[in-house]
Structure formats: C-alpha cells, structure tokens
Amino acid sequence: MSRPSLSQTKAEAKRAFLIEQATLCLSQKGYAHVSLRDIAKESGVSLGILHYYFASKEDLLLAVISRYKEGFIAELEREVVEAPLERWMDSLYSVLHRSLTRDRDQHRLWYDLQVQAMYVPAFHEQVSEIRARLHSLIAQMLERLSDAKHSSLTVGKEAATALLYSLIDGLFLQSMLSEASDSKDVISHFEQTFPLVIQSLFLPKGDSHSSIR
C-alpha cells in the first residue's frame, strides 16, 4: 500500500480540523441555527474553502456525527463487549458517564440528527446504520451473558436488544432534555434500574442468585 502524499496528509488534517470546529459550533447552537458561513467564520476559513471539503451543511453534520459515533462505538466494543465479563456493568456505566459529561454536546447532536432524519433521506440512512451497529453490539453482549449464565433469554433476542437499546437511549435523551440534571444522579438512577432489567431477561437456571456483574 502506497503512503499518502504530503498534500493528501494536509488535506486530511484540514478536513479533521474543520470537523472539530463544526462540532463545537453545531453542538453549542444546534443544527437549525448554524449556517456553513457561521462555521467557516468560526474556523477562520473562507466559505469557498469549507465548500471544497463539504458539499453542504448536511454533508458536514454527517461527518461530525460519524466521527463521534465511531469513537463511541469503539469504546463500547473495547471496554464492554470485548472486555472480560467480571465487571462489564461498571465498564458500561463508565462509558455512559463519559458520554454524558465529556461528550455531552456531541451526543446531543446525535438526537438533533435523528430528528432531522425524519425529513432528510441522507440523515435517515446514517441514523439507521448507526442504530443497527449499536443493536448489534447489544445482541453480542446478550449472547456472551447467556453463555456465561448458561441461561436462555425470556424473550426473543431482537426484543431483548430493542428493550435494552430503548433503556440506554432513554437515559441519554432524558439527560439531554434536563440540562439541570447531574450526570452522576442520572447514572445512579440507571445503575438501580439496569441490573433488574438484565436479570428479568434471563431464565433462572441452576443458582438463580448467581451474579454475572
């Protein structure tokens, strides 16, 4: 494989910089209240330069969300799905807490994108793809837990996956809607609910009091 040229490297770095600036601008003001001209001004480049890298505001938002969600999904894969099972719940809580604190503004854009997806076909396609990947991670985790517990799900895997996705997604949405809420309180409430839901999804076999936490 040939190494990228200096011009390619510079172009990639410039594109990454513009995505970072757009992330800051969009997360602070929201998609509907920001124009490409606003983003160009915040980035210190001309509108023409911004158009060179991104054909439209829609194209730029897709790039912003794609970069954030790639990182979020990679964290879930590395720290929860592929990690040892001993403390998987604690690892999940840690990832969710970081998203509600460090990455709160970027995650808020994810909900902005989902609303826009009801009207913009290009957004609908990306939202569906990201949701499918998250569902796949949950399904993989359920399979690991089922094997560890030597137990079957009380409902179909698709139904269980949808339930857990809705629970986690609801946590984020309620946190986004309540700006005054403390992320620690949100996670604390989730910690009280989530294990009970997980327990209800598996048929008791052998020692029904055994834990996979």
Side-chain angles (χ1 to χ4, degrees):
M1 182 181 296
S2 61
R3 297 177 60 183
S5 65
L6 181 60
S7 60
Q8 286 177 316
T9 302
K10 287 184 176 179
E12 290 172 0
K14 187 69 171 183
R15 189 174 190 277
F17 168 75
L18 293 174
I19 290 175
E20 288 179 3
Q21 295 302 306
T23 299
L24 292 173
C25 197
L26 288 166
S27 62
Q28 291 171 1
K29 301 179 181 179
Y31 177 80
H33 302 290
V34 174
S35 67
L36 281 181
R37 190 176 300 279
D38 295 328
I39 296 172
K41 183 178 179 180
E42 292 293 327
S43 305
V45 301
S46 68
L47 185 59
I49 290 294
L50 191 60
H51 269 300
Y52 175 80
Y53 289 94
F54 303 98
S56 63
K57 190 170 75 166
E58 290 81 5
D59 186 32
L60 183 52
L61 177 60
L62 288 173
V64 167
I65 294 298
S66 177
R67 190 180 74 157
Y68 167 62
K69 276 299 184 179
E70 283 295 332
F72 179 66
I73 289 172
E75 284 186 355
L76 287 174
E77 288 179 332
R78 180 179 63 253
E79 299 185 31
V80 182
V81 178
E82 296 175 356
L85 279 174
E86 286 79 7
R87 295 183 61 81
W88 75 274
M89 278 194 189
D90 290 327
S91 297
L92 175 62
Y93 299 151
S94 295
V95 173
L96 298 182
H97 183 264
R98 287 199 297 271
S99 294
L100 289 172
T101 53
R102 182 194 66 189
D103 302 325
R104 184 181 182 87
D105 289 344
Q106 292 95 313
H107 209 90
R108 185 163 50 190
L109 276 178
W110 164 239
Y111 289 99
D112 203 347
L113 177 65
Q114 292 184 85
V115 171
Q116 298 297 328
M118 292 189 286
Y119 309 100
V120 183
F123 290 167
H124 180 75
E125 181 179 348
Q126 176 137 344
V127 165
S128 297
E129 179 182 342
I130 292 172
R131 286 169 61 93
R133 291 180 65 187
L134 291 170
H135 274 239
S136 177
L137 289 182
I138 294 173
Q140 290 175 49
M141 196 68 227
L142 286 172
E143 289 178 359
R144 292 191 67 196
L145 295 176
S146 180
D147 291 341
K149 289 177 71 69
H150 304 291
S151 181
S152 302
L153 289 167
T154 56
V155 296
K157 187 168 69 174
E158 288 188 7
T161 297
L163 174 63
L164 292 181
Y165 180 89
S166 297
L167 179 60
I168 296 171
D169 193 58
L171 159 75
F172 277 103
L173 180 57
Q174 293 306 313
S175 179
M176 298 298 111
L177 291 174
S178 179
E179 292 291 344
S181 65
D182 189 313
S183 59
K184 291 183 179 179
D185 292 338
V186 173
I187 291 295
S188 178
H189 180 70
F190 183 71
E191 288 175 351
Q192 297 173 35
T193 307
F194 190 67
L196 299 176
V197 175
I198 291 293
Q199 185 177 3
S200 72
L201 288 176
F202 290 94
L203 293 169
K205 285 188 177 181
D207 182 4
S208 60
H209 298 289
S210 63
S211 174
I212 54 174
R213 184 178 170 86

